[in-house]
Amino acid sequence: MEGDAFPGFGSGAHHHQIDTKILQTFQKSFVQVQGLLDQNRHLINEINQNQESRVPDSLNRNVGLIRELNNNIRTVVNLYADLSSNFTKSMETSSEGDSSGGALRSDAKAGLKRNRPA
């Protein structure tokens, strides 16, 4: 079932354990992101209500709420950056078992050397 989320991902039996771990890591990160986005939605609603109320204490409370919102957004950005990095690493790891992947990488490196200005 889990392999169905990424068709073609982990086509060999020896990749199944790695792929399951990768998918669990991705799922954990996406759950964290979703939780933060839900929290941000509530923060934004409260900030808007406080702003509309014009009550000084509520407006003062917005300073902390906006700070919390900014921190949540920063955390979401970091989680997405980690997801991107982990996905890239997993694809590299996945292709290392493939003999054509190694040849492709060495050809790419050779190609870079040839393209350098003389």
Side-chain angles (χ1 to χ4, degrees):
M1 286 275 174
E2 289 174 343
D4 294 343
F6 296 99
F9 197 66
S11 52
H14 62 285
H15 287 283
H16 180 70
Q17 186 178 4
I18 295 170
D19 293 346
T20 300
K21 185 176 180 180
I22 290 166
L23 290 175
Q24 287 172 344
T25 301
F26 288 159
Q27 182 176 2
K28 180 182 172 188
S29 294
F30 283 124
V31 167
Q32 283 181 279
V33 166
Q34 189 59 55
L36 286 166
L37 294 177
D38 289 343
Q39 186 180 0
N40 286 354
R41 187 178 67 245
H42 293 297
L43 286 169
I44 290 167
N45 287 337
E46 186 175 348
I47 290 166
N48 286 337
Q49 288 171 0
N50 290 345
Q51 190 68 27
E52 290 170 7
S53 76
R54 303 281 187 208
V55 175
D57 287 344
S58 296
L59 293 173
N60 287 335
R61 178 166 161 66
N62 274 359
V63 173
L65 295 174
I66 291 169
R67 195 170 286 133
E68 184 178 352
L69 181 65
N70 285 336
N71 287 335
N72 286 354
I73 291 169
R74 191 174 298 114
T75 302
V76 168
V77 168
N78 290 335
L79 284 167
Y80 276 131
D82 290 347
L83 272 169
S84 175
S85 174
N86 288 338
F87 183 75
T88 300
K89 286 177 190 173
S90 72
M91 295 310 290
E92 289 170 356
T93 301
S94 176
S95 69
E96 282 174 6
D98 182 6
S99 61
S100 65
L104 182 64
R105 278 195 298 280
S106 62
D107 289 346
K109 287 179 184 176
L112 287 175
K113 290 178 184 173
R114 284 193 300 269
N115 291 334
R116 287 184 183 160

